[in-house]
Amino acid sequence: MNVRDFYFDLPQELIAQDPLEDRSASRLLVLDKHTGEIEHRHFKDILDYLKKGDCLVINDTKVIPARLFGVKEGTEAKIEILLLKRRENDIWETLVKPGKKAKVGTVISFGEGLLKGTVIDVVEEGNRLIQFSYEGIFEEILDQLGQMPLPPYITHQLQDKNRYQTVYAKNEGSAAAPTAGLHFTKELLKKIQEKGVEIAHVTLHVGLGTFRPVKVDEIEAHHMHSEFYIVEEEEARKVNDAKRNGGRIVCVGTTSCRTVESASTQDGILKAGSGWTEIFIYPGYRFKILDCLITNFHLPESTLIMLVSALAGRDHVLHAYEEAVRERYRFFSFGDAMFLTDQKDRGTVN
């Protein structure tokens, strides 16, 4: 399967630069995963498509302010780093710009010495392992000095850091937000629960590997970067009970989807535990847990649009994207949402 099979033309002006004031006021394109039928709604209408007995799976990871700006000691050259994943204690794998100024042994100072980092190794794809030194609590210093690592296609300054967090973000560790969850408000989640929908929390710390471009022609040759996930016993029970009782498993975002699909057995039982996943879902994949998916609109030729195509079929998905472009939907992280469902398993639509 060729990467060009997942290309679509996206006008630059449809890339959302700012979040809406009301999270749940974004638009919602409802796509029947079998027939390709499309409906145009608003996100708060998701309530109409969920029903008692369903289980909504959300990713409660929390984005850390992972972008740091410092200077190279001795030269005062400016260096930007992005924290990717904590290896151990105060050693992090990072992306450094410009990399040529960050050779092994380089010391970088942040916040006039409040935080210092020493490059101790160069690893895969030129990433640097940096050992940090500081006085106090690392997370508090990071909150003081760091900036939210917004994707490169967002050029506007984010006024409120919390708008790049879900309202249920809890476990710190992500380099990017699970953006499908940004549409939910606490009030909407409460209404969903009151309708008899179970909400299960999982954690997957989103790394930049999810967003890296596919650099091979044949997608089967693409290798995903690993990301850390956690599924607690009680949350696995919620999913398994809903599945056993005939409810649908509705994943919020590709990260929740990849977590449950990574942590499940071949016969569709979600197992509690933690670990690293490199799962790459593309057409031909057979889903073991997920029935429906809430997701944003993704980049052309990305692994994310391939995952969506695995659920609803490439032709249906690309047709829906063309419709979204025609209808001037907002795309990517701060954009509008899709719900991939099934005619026969919908809730009561008003």
Side-chain angles (χ1 to χ4, degrees), residues 231-249:
V231 179
E232 301 288 356
E233 194 78 49
E234 174 63 16
E235 309 309 307
R237 184 194 61 75
K238 291 176 184 177
V239 172
N240 291 330
D241 284 354
K243 197 85 174 167
R244 186 171 55 251
N245 295 328
R248 300 171 302 165
I249 308 305

Side-chain angles (χ1 to χ4, degrees), residues 79-96:
I79 293 182
E80 174 187 345
I81 74 163
L82 185 65
L83 303 177
L84 298 178
K85 63 177 85 162
R86 190 194 292 264
R87 286 292 188 92
E88 53 182 292
N89 299 324
D90 294 318
I91 298 175
W92 285 76
E93 183 176 341
T94 68
L95 188 65
V96 179

Side-chain angles (χ1 to χ4, degrees), residues 204-218:
L204 181 134
H205 293 318
V206 188
L208 292 188
T210 306
F211 307 102
R212 285 189 190 278
V214 178
K215 295 179 179 177
V216 292
D217 289 335
E218 300 302 317

Side-chain angles (χ1 to χ4, degrees), residues 100-124:
K100 62 184 178 182
K101 292 181 180 176
K103 296 175 181 174
V104 173
T106 298
V107 178
I108 308 166
S109 176
F110 308 92
E112 298 181 341
L114 191 62
L115 178 68
K116 289 191 177 184
T118 303
V119 179
I120 61 173
D121 200 2
V122 180
V123 293
E124 186 182 2

Side-chain angles (χ1 to χ4, degrees), residues 17 67 148-156 164 175-177 179 208 211 299 332-334:
Q17 293 295 321
R67 179 164 274 126
M148 280 299 183
L150 295 179
Y153 49 74
I154 294 177
T155 57
H156 291 190
Y164 195 58
T179 54
L208 292 188
F211 307 102
L299 277 75
F332 305 163
S333 295
F334 288 140

Side-chain angles (χ1 to χ4, degrees), residues 57-344:
V57 182
I58 60 179
N59 180 9
D60 63 10
T61 188
K62 190 172 187 178
V63 186
I64 58 174
R67 179 164 274 126
L68 288 162
F69 296 89
V71 293
K72 179 178 177 180
E73 287 198 344
T75 68
E76 299 305 302
K78 292 181 180 179
I79 293 182
E80 174 187 345
I81 74 163
L82 185 65
L83 303 177
L84 298 178
K85 63 177 85 162
R86 190 194 292 264
R87 286 292 188 92
E88 53 182 292
N89 299 324
D90 294 318
I91 298 175
W92 285 76
E93 183 176 341
T94 68
L95 188 65
V96 179
K97 292 195 301 186
K100 62 184 178 182
K101 292 181 180 176
K103 296 175 181 174
V104 173
T106 298
V107 178
I108 308 166
S109 176
F110 308 92
E112 298 181 341
L114 191 62
L115 178 68
K116 289 191 177 184
T118 303
V119 179
I120 61 173
D121 200 2
V122 180
V123 293
E124 186 182 2
E125 297 203 358
N127 293 346
R128 267 57 173 178
L129 289 188
I130 293 182
Q131 180 153 30
F132 289 99
S133 59
Y134 52 89
E135 289 185 10
I137 299 171
F138 180 76
E139 286 75 17
E140 290 181 358
I141 294 171
L142 190 61
D143 197 49
Q144 181 181 338
L145 300 180
Q147 294 183 13
M148 280 299 183
L150 295 179
Y153 49 74
I154 294 177
T155 57
H156 291 190
Q157 188 78 29
L158 184 63
Q159 299 304 313
D160 178 3
K161 279 202 285 193
N162 287 326
R163 290 313 309 274
Y164 195 58
Q165 302 278 19
T166 62
V167 296
Y168 45 79
K170 184 174 67 172
N171 295 314
E172 292 189 336
S174 270
T179 54
L182 297 178
H183 304 283
F184 286 93
T185 62
K186 289 181 178 178
E187 293 75 22
L188 181 56
L189 287 167
K190 186 168 182 283
K191 288 178 181 176
I192 288 169
Q193 283 183 301
E194 287 170 350
K195 193 166 185 177
V197 176
E198 188 73 83
I199 297 180
H201 293 240
V202 298
T203 304
L204 181 134
H205 293 318
V206 188
L208 292 188
T210 306
F211 307 102
R212 285 189 190 278
V214 178
K215 295 179 179 177
V216 292
D217 289 335
E218 300 302 317
I219 67 172
E220 294 85 352
H222 177 71
H223 177 68
M224 295 285 282
H225 285 62
S226 61
E227 295 169 311
F228 187 72
Y229 72 85
I230 304 168
V231 179
E232 301 288 356
E233 194 78 49
E234 174 63 16
E235 309 309 307
R237 184 194 61 75
K238 291 176 184 177
V239 172
N240 291 330
D241 284 354
K243 197 85 174 167
R244 186 171 55 251
N245 295 328
R248 300 171 302 165
I249 308 305
V250 181
C251 287
V252 177
T254 57
T255 62
S256 297
C257 165
R258 290 170 55 245
T259 302
V260 298
E261 292 296 316
S262 296
S264 64
T265 62
Q266 285 302 319
D267 53 354
I269 304 296
L270 183 60
K271 308 293 282 186
S274 62
W276 296 87
T277 179
E278 298 176 352
I279 191 169
F280 179 21
I281 297 175
Y282 54 87
Y285 179 85
R286 296 190 64 171
F287 289 88
K288 297 170 287 188
I289 295 279
L290 173 142
D291 296 301
C292 305
L293 178 68
I294 296 169
T295 187
N296 278 19
F297 291 93
H298 304 295
L299 277 75
E301 300 181 346
S302 64
T303 61
L304 303 175
I305 195 171
M306 293 171 193
L307 184 154
V308 175
S309 297
L311 181 62
R314 185 184 72 93
D315 291 345
H316 287 162
V317 169
L318 289 181
H319 176 256
Y321 270 55
E322 289 168 6
E323 176 85 356
V325 168
R326 237 184 342 263
E327 294 292 327
R328 312 294 290 175
Y329 274 69
R330 301 164 76 247
F331 276 68
F332 305 163
S333 295
F334 288 140
D336 295 315
M338 286 182 76
F339 182 40
L340 287 82
T341 185
D342 187 324
Q343 274 280 23
K344 68 178 185 299

